[in-house]
């Protein structure tokens, strides 16, 4: 199994939503009660990705997980802090995908000058 971690592109949206929708519908971990529409999800990616990385893990051209950072708070004192999330397809959990995504994400954030990464857990 050869995994590739790369930046998200617009062709990844449907596969990312396929990972995210069951998490929203079946768990409390996303803090959302309804999955976003494809348009809403694309807009999230576009707005956050201008400043912070969104990554996918791909195996055999299938997106099996993704991780991203977004602003933690908008006040100036928080400018070097971000909130992060990671989601992995049910068939690929417990295989090190989340760890690999977070490792890559944190390295990129460090290069961008961010100091603090916060995660909300349910």
């Amino acid at each position: 199994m050869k995994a590739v971690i790369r930046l998200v592109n617009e062709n990844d949206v449907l596969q990312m939503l396929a990972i995210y929708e069951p998490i929203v519908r079946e768990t409390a971990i996303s803090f959302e009660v309804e999955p976003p529409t494809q348009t809403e999800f694309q807009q999230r990616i576009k707005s956050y990705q201008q400043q912070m990385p969104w990554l996918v893990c791909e195996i055999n051209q299938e997106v099996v997980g993704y991780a991203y950072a977004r602003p933690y708070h908008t006040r100036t004192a928080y400018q070097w802090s971000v909130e992060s999330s990671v989601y992995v397809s049910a068939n690929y959990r417990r295989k090190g995908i989340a760890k690999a995504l977070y490792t890559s994400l944190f390295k990129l954030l460090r290069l961008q000058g961010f100091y603090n990464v916060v995660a909300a857990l349910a």
Side-chain angles (χ1 to χ4, degrees), residues 75-111:
R75 292 184 182 159
T76 305
Y78 292 106
Q79 67 183 320
W80 303 114
S81 299
V82 297
E83 182 177 353
S84 67
S85 294
V86 64
Y87 298 99
V88 177
S89 175
N91 295 337
Y92 288 91
R93 292 185 189 143
R94 301 187 142 329
K95 297 183 186 303
I97 305 274
K99 181 179 180 180
L101 281 163
Y102 263 158
T103 299
S104 296
L105 180 67
F106 294 168
K107 284 180 182 177
L108 288 172
L109 290 168
R110 193 175 310 123
L111 288 171

Side-chain angles (χ1 to χ4, degrees), residues 3-6 55-59 62-67 97 100-101:
V4 173
I5 295 177
R6 61 171 175 74
L55 304 174
V56 293
C57 178
E58 192 175 63
I59 297 175
E62 175 189 0
V63 173
V64 299
Y66 66 96
I97 305 274
L101 281 163

